[in-house]
Each structure stands twice: as C-alpha cells, then as structure tokens.
Amino acid sequence: MTTSEPERKVHTKRTECRVCGGQRLRMFLSLGPMPLANAFLRTPDEFETEPRFPLDVYFCEDCSLAQLLDVIDPATLFRNYIYVTGTSATIAAHNREYARTVVETLGLGARDLVVEIASNDGSLLRCFQEHGVRTLGIEPARNIAEQARAAGVDTVDQFFDAGLAREVRAGYGPAKAIIGNNVLAHVDETRDFLRGAKDLLAEDGRVIIEVPEVREMIQRLEYDTVYHEHLCYFSATTLMRLCDAVGLKLARVDRMPVHGGSLRIWAGVRAAHSEDACALAAEERELGLGDFGRYERFAADAAKNREAILALLGRLKAEGKTVAGYGAPAKGNTLLNYCGIGVDLLPYTVDKNPMKVGLYTPGMHIPVLPAAALAERRPDYALILPWNIAGEIIEQQEAYRRAGGRFIVPVPEPKVI
Ligand SMILES: [Zn+2]
C-alpha cells in the first residue's frame, strides 16, 4: 500500500502484485472512473456528490495474475453491502450440493468445525448444520451478520486476518474446513489472508476457496465481473503460486459453473500440488492466459460489445419500443456504466431483492422497481443484467414472455430471446 498517513484513505493504489510481489504490471482494460458497484443511492440529492474511482485491470508480467491496483478501503466498500445470497435459486441449490460434497469428502462429524469466511446471511452454513457439524461464520457486514445470528448461525462480525484467525482458534479450536466463497478475490492482502487461514486449519484440514475463474471471464467476455470489490482474477496457475507462498499445496481443483465460471480449490499441508491442478495450469498456458496479448484482445472485444449493445438499444428506441432492465446486480452496474446506458435508454430496472427496491443504481441512476413491475408495465424488452443466470430468469418470467415480452441477453453478443 502506498498510504502512510495514520488515517485510512478511501482510495489507495498498489504498486506490487498481490501474489508474487512483482512490479511489472501492465494495464489491459480501463472501465473508466466508476462508482462503487454496490453503492446504490437513496435519493437524487446524492447523484451530484457520488464518488468515482479508477477501475483499471492490470496483468502481472511475472506471475500472470490479472488484478486491480486501485484499492477502496473495505470500510467504505462494504458499508452498504446488500448482496444477500438467499435471493437466487441457482445459488441455493449450489449451497446444498456444496455442503454435501465437503462433508462427504472430508468425512466431517459432529465434533468437527467448519468456518466460513464472508459467510453472508449464513445460508451456506445452515446447509452444513443439516449435516450435524459445528459451524462458525465470519462476516464483517454487521447488519448481515445479525441476520445470520437470527437464523441460528453463530457469526463473528469482523474482517478475517491473521489476528482474528488466532482468536478463533483459541476460542473454537482448529477448523477441519475453512470455506471462502468469493472472498479471496476481494481481499487486498491476499497472502496474509491465506496465511491466516493456514494458521486456523487443523493438520488434516482443507482450505476450500471458490473464486471466479479468469479463464471463463476471458473466454466468455465477462468484463462486467470487474468491479472495485473484485481485486484479483485467478487461474489455477496463479492460485498454485499463491499457495506456494504460504506453505500450502492444492489437493484438488474443481471447475464450477456458478457465477459465470468459478474455480474451487482444496488446499492443505501437502508435499506437492495435485495432478489435476498441474493439468489445469498446463491448459491455461495453452490458452494463452500467461500472455499479455490475450488480455488485450479481451479488452478490444469488450469495446466491441459496448458498441453492439448501444446500437441495439438505440435502434429499439428509434422504433418506439420500451425497454426495462431485469435485475440490479453489481455486474450490471459495471456494464451500465461502461456502456453509458442511462435512463434515456433504460428508464427503470426491476429486482427481486427488496433491499434494492426504491433505490437508484450507482452512476447511471436507474430507479429499481419491484420484480412485479415487469408484469404490470410490460415493457417490450427486458435487458437481463445478471445474464449469467439468464436461463433461470427467463423460466421464472414465463408469464411476461407469454404476454409478448422479450429478453435481451447482452453479453458476449447482444441476443434477443
Ligand atoms: Zn505477480
């Protein structure tokens, strides 16, 4: 970190790679000065003073990690965090399957402790409780930790670091499984985080971490998974390198379809990385993920996608068609801001999460209405912002479609369904 002031700055910029410490970092994608993707606004009075920060993605020439260097202080970033995991049926099914897999693979019993870092509203740990194991959640967003406790999931409302790892170990004993779903990519001090997890881990335990996979992001043109919270974009190659740095080795790697493509690693204290991890790293090299040129091509394709989306929305508007958004996810805010889609092209969006209804999207200030507004107002087209779960949404909105409504899936190429 470049800051040395005693008071924490909201925005700082790193100069070193989070995995290898190298300084040969080259930018390949600039999404522009961007508001925080989860900082929804309550009233139009807030539009004028809304903060924006650089959102640029860099490639490390030494270890190939794709990452942001601009860091927003977590206290600011997660202050109004309103992503609640319970809202997607796909994710709920994923959680049940996840808990079953971990319990069976590690042979967990009633005395074993499962710790989840960034446990959100406790929905995943509740699935573990059904198997009779002990659970502890760690969730820094106080309002959400409170929800988890109310649902019967013991939860510590602090950020996870080496100090907290020691406290938890002293109070609860070592953990047989330490789970981190979509949290490793969000922490600035990546190596310290993993070192803390290793310290809390039982000797034969596993750190099981799920992160979005850079391979999927690059191949499926998911540039909208870039936002300030999401600091690192990992591959098997970079995860192996990271584990090496803290004395862990991969015991297994799974490629998962959730969140538009994720990697789940099982790391422990072992002599060497598993064969499947090494094979995956070899595939990544074949695909060019170790080369800067592949990332440059990705950025050029993102710019083309922006032009195509704007052309489609412009044409529909000229034809007098009405278009609304479906969903108000963080990724949607990257897409809307990068493309410059405002209320002139998208007068409102709808969302099932009641905590988002009545708010305005960051940057483009699109009002969020309840999901029922889609059936009531019947726009001609609905632009699906969480397009990674488009299939699920289209199925749920059968009534809208039967009444003549059509969907637009914006990425990798805008497609009307
Ligand atoms: Zn590096």
Side-chain angles (χ1 to χ4, degrees):
M1 305 282 288
T2 51
T3 181
S4 55
E5 289 84 342
E7 200 166 311
R8 293 172 81 171
K9 282 186 178 177
V10 172
H11 169 222
T12 53
K13 187 159 181 178
R14 288 180 75 92
T15 53
E16 289 177 359
C17 171
R18 288 187 181 81
V19 161
C20 76
Q23 298 191 345
R24 300 195 303 142
L25 300 157
R26 286 175 77 183
M27 183 169 71
F28 61 92
L29 176 64
S30 180
L31 296 162
M34 181 79 78
L36 302 179
N38 278 300
F40 285 77
L41 307 170
R42 290 178 197 284
T43 74
D45 299 344
E46 298 169 3
F47 294 174
E48 195 95 327
T49 54
E50 183 179 30
R52 287 172 184 267
F53 306 97
L55 187 58
D56 302 330
V57 197
Y58 292 77
F59 173 81
C60 174
E61 294 274 15
D62 294 318
C63 75
S64 81
L65 178 69
Q67 62 198 300
L68 307 186
L69 298 180
D70 293 279
V71 179
I72 310 305
D73 181 44
T76 301
L77 205 47
F78 297 101
R79 188 179 294 146
N80 297 305
Y81 207 62
I82 49 180
Y83 173 61
V84 175
T85 48
T87 53
S88 155
T90 303
I91 289 170
H94 173 77
N95 283 345
R96 278 193 300 278
E97 177 58 22
Y98 188 116
R100 196 184 58 78
T101 304
V102 172
V103 167
E104 286 177 5
T105 305
L106 302 183
L108 299 181
R111 288 156 64 146
D112 292 325
L113 174 67
V114 176
V115 173
E116 186 185 9
I117 304 170
S119 50
N120 212 293
D121 63 356
S123 10
L124 176 60
L125 286 177
R126 278 204 304 279
C127 296
F128 276 95
Q129 288 177 342
E130 285 166 20
H131 294 273
V133 298
R134 293 158 59 217
T135 65
L136 178 68
I138 295 172
E139 171 53 57
R142 286 204 182 136
N143 55 334
I144 294 177
E146 192 47 53
Q147 277 184 35
R149 280 189 216 108
V153 179
D154 190 2
T155 302
V156 176
D157 56 5
Q158 289 178 52
F159 283 101
F160 182 79
D161 57 18
L164 185 64
R166 275 191 299 275
E167 270 177 50
V168 169
R169 191 178 174 117
Y172 295 80
K176 228 20 191 302
I178 299 174
I179 290 164
N181 284 338
N182 294 297
V183 57
L184 185 69
H186 292 191
V187 297
D188 185 24
E189 296 304 335
T190 316
R191 282 173 294 189
D192 288 352
F193 179 92
L194 204 58
R195 233 174 249 127
K198 188 194 172 199
D199 292 346
L200 174 57
L201 195 65
E203 218 170 302
D204 57 346
R206 289 284 181 266
V207 180
I208 309 162
I209 282 179
E210 213 168 291
V211 287
E213 188 184 23
V214 74
R215 170 175 171 174
E216 286 288 301
M217 175 177 106
I218 295 291
Q219 290 191 316
R220 294 166 50 158
L221 196 59
E222 296 165 351
Y223 62 86
D224 57 348
T225 58
V226 177
Y227 37 94
H228 293 100
E229 283 92 329
H230 191 178
L231 296 167
C232 288
Y233 302 79
F234 290 107
S235 59
T237 307
T238 50
L239 287 165
M240 286 161 75
R241 182 102 184 228
L242 173 64
C243 284
D244 288 339
V246 303
L248 289 171
K249 296 284 177 195
L250 299 191
R252 167 177 166 185
V253 186
D254 307 319
R255 298 188 70 209
M256 315 293 299
V258 84
H259 284 302
S262 297
L263 281 179
R264 180 190 294 168
I265 58 163
W266 304 62
V269 179
R270 294 162 47 91
H273 294 297
S274 63
E275 267 177 40
D276 64 344
C278 297
L280 203 48
E283 277 179 35
E284 290 167 354
R285 272 195 302 281
E286 287 280 301
L287 291 166
L289 293 174
D291 308 321
F292 183 71
R294 181 65 192 88
Y295 296 81
E296 273 185 313
R297 188 148 61 81
F298 167 78
D301 290 344
K304 272 186 222 149
N305 180 248
R306 169 172 60 186
E307 296 316 310
I309 294 170
L310 288 174
L312 174 63
L313 294 180
R315 183 169 62 76
L316 293 176
K317 189 178 178 177
E319 288 171 1
K321 306 289 193 206
T322 51
V323 184
Y326 187 93
K331 66 192 276 122
N333 292 326
T334 293
L335 185 132
L336 295 172
N337 282 283
Y338 174 63
C339 294
I341 299 168
V343 286
D344 53 328
L345 292 174
L346 203 68
Y348 62 95
T349 189
V350 303
D351 199 279
K352 281 166 71 181
N353 184 345
M355 291 168 89
K356 287 185 179 173
V357 170
L359 305 180
Y360 298 87
T361 67
M364 300 320 290
H365 307 150
I366 292 168
V368 184
L369 306 185
L374 196 64
E376 288 159 15
R377 300 195 177 200
R378 292 212 200 136
D380 297 317
Y381 295 84
L383 174 67
I384 299 181
L385 295 170
W387 57 268
N388 54 315
I389 53 165
E392 180 187 320
I393 289 166
I394 292 169
E395 218 168 86
Q396 285 171 356
Q397 299 299 325
E398 179 64 27
Y400 166 73
R401 217 154 48 104
R402 267 208 307 268
R406 308 186 75 182
F407 287 99
I408 302 169
V409 179
V411 182
E413 278 164 17
K415 204 167 66 184
V416 175
I417 292 172

